[in-house]
Amino acid sequence: MVDFVHHRCAPGTLLHVSPGQVQRLPQAAAGHPEDFQAVMVRFTAAFPPRLQRTDPLLNHPFGPVARTIPQAERESMARAMAELAQEYRRAVDEADAADITIDLLRQLLSALLLRITRLPAPETADRSDTGGDIFPCFQRELE
């Protein structure tokens, strides 16, 4: 659930939760902790390098929440997330992480964000029922 809206999460679902949004994950059924598995990537807005292509993803708090990663992209996305996690563990293990490790984390995160922006737009992204372009502009200004 993101901002009190339920999103069905099947394998290959990507949820984008912006700062300030409320997120609630389901509790695993008793004795079945494997029912729900997720990878979370958390970062501050200032961490990834500014890229024009990732601005719509990072700077639109009311953009689509749920996306489906196409089957053909899932393995490469999983590898990108695993590499990011590996470098993050290295940075944590090295108490005074070298600047090169921090820069590498930034670049790996940027590559992951670029892959996400390349995904097909979710079907629910059509906002014509909410006032076309005017409503999203109002939401951004209000936020």
Side-chain angles (χ1 to χ4, degrees), residues 87-105:
E87 288 300 326
Y88 178 76
R89 282 190 297 275
R90 173 181 275 170
V92 169
D93 289 345
E94 300 170 6
D96 56 339
D99 288 341
I100 193 165
T101 304
I102 301 301
D103 287 344
L104 182 55
L105 279 170

Side-chain angles (χ1 to χ4, degrees), residues 22-64:
V22 177
Q23 176 185 9
R24 180 174 172 246
L25 301 174
Q27 293 182 349
H32 296 81
E34 69 281 353
D35 286 350
F36 182 77
Q37 295 179 354
V39 174
M40 294 181 127
V41 179
R42 295 179 58 190
F43 54 92
T44 65
F47 189 74
R50 304 300 297 166
L51 298 173
Q52 183 179 1
R53 300 259 187 222
T54 60
D55 273 351
L57 179 66
L58 298 176
N59 296 320
H60 193 310
F62 301 103

Side-chain angles (χ1 to χ4, degrees), residues 113-131:
L113 293 172
L114 286 168
R115 287 175 189 263
I116 292 169
T117 61
R118 189 168 66 176
L119 294 175
E123 292 177 17
T124 58
D126 179 23
R127 302 184 72 102
S128 59
D129 62 330
T130 59

